[in-house]
Amino acid sequence: MAPHTIVPAPEPRGLRYGLLTAANGPLDLPAPAGHGGGVQYEPVSCGFARLYPVDCDDDPPEKTFDPADPWVTADPLVAYATLTCSAVGSTAQSLEAKVARRLANGEQSIAEQALDAVLSTAGGPTLTAPDPTRIKSVIGELEQWLYGPDGANYGNVGYLHAPFRYAQVADPVADGRLLRTKLGSIWVFGAYPDDGTIRISGQVTVWRAPEVFVSPAGQGFDRASNTYRLLAEREYAVAFDCVTAEASYQEGTP
């Protein structure tokens, strides 16, 4: 048998659907302060209106004045990939490109895990669907809470967060590159814990450093072992606006 012919690696068709598809952004993380301190902003998607009756009452009811919305803080995080490789048959340039590819393959999952940590520690309510064994009942309970006047009364498009395999039973509606519910909420099927939890939130935004840092191959060269040690990393920040809640889906029928 003749030796195998070395050819260029086939290019991927593209990143999977996930947070980087669905979220607002990725926006450029401000440098240099944002890389070490994250970002903070006063959200514009929160707040709601109130009903006031128009009549000829001599003693009209008072209008309610609501406080300003809390500022949102997005702490910084770093997604990184590493590579240890023999110097034989490799160039410094090719190895730097290889470790950068590794980061590109995996950084979305890191951002999703970071967002899950933010959502799970935000202190939002835990809801119980009328039928927790039906995912549509769970989705309906979460959307009713987010948009309804007895819940968060959120007026903009919300986000639903769920592990990957729920995409097969949630019956999402394709809208260009986005997956939505019938009501229009945007799905993020991502690297979230596969524990039956589905979350809903206000608008989700991702910031990241415009450029990937790759350590020069020569700096990580070990002459004793004739190997390279390379690092690629990128700073991120993730946040959601206003409100979040969660509900448990006890897998049964769709």
Side-chain angles (χ1 to χ4, degrees), residues 136 139 143 160 170-173 179-185 187:
K136 292 180 181 179
I139 296 168
E143 289 188 318
L160 282 155
D171 195 24
V173 178
L179 295 177
R180 297 180 182 266
T181 67
K182 292 180 179 179
L183 199 58
S185 303
W187 278 107

Side-chain angles (χ1 to χ4, degrees), residues 112-206:
E112 290 164 349
Q113 292 169 37
L115 178 59
D116 179 74
V118 172
L119 291 168
S120 63
T121 58
T126 299
L127 310 177
T128 301
D131 186 354
T133 67
R134 296 183 65 248
I135 195 167
K136 292 180 181 179
S137 178
V138 176
I139 296 168
E141 185 71 17
L142 289 166
E143 289 188 318
Q144 179 63 37
W145 174 86
L146 183 67
Y147 301 125
D150 296 326
N153 210 1
Y154 188 70
N156 292 288
V157 174
Y159 282 73
L160 282 155
H161 309 266
F164 298 112
R165 60 197 182 91
Y166 290 175
Q168 303 306 315
V169 293
D171 195 24
V173 178
D175 177 18
R177 297 177 66 241
L178 298 176
L179 295 177
R180 297 180 182 266
T181 67
K182 292 180 179 179
L183 199 58
S185 303
I186 298 172
W187 278 107
V188 181
F189 296 107
Y192 301 130
D194 190 12
D195 60 2
T197 301
I198 300 178
R199 293 188 170 90
I200 198 164
S201 72
Q203 176 171 267
V204 174
T205 305
V206 175

Side-chain angles (χ1 to χ4, degrees), residues 180-248:
R180 297 180 182 266
T181 67
K182 292 180 179 179
L183 199 58
S185 303
I186 298 172
W187 278 107
V188 181
F189 296 107
Y192 301 130
D194 190 12
D195 60 2
T197 301
I198 300 178
R199 293 188 170 90
I200 198 164
S201 72
Q203 176 171 267
V204 174
T205 305
V206 175
W207 294 262
R208 70 180 180 186
E211 304 294 334
V212 173
F213 169 77
V214 178
S215 60
Q219 293 183 4
F221 182 62
D222 184 350
R223 295 185 179 277
S225 60
N226 199 35
T227 58
Y228 285 102
R229 291 164 54 89
L230 294 98
L231 168 73
E233 63 183 26
R234 176 181 265 180
E235 296 85 359
Y236 271 81
V238 296
F240 70 92
D241 287 4
C242 317
V243 292
T244 183
E246 65 180 45
S248 176

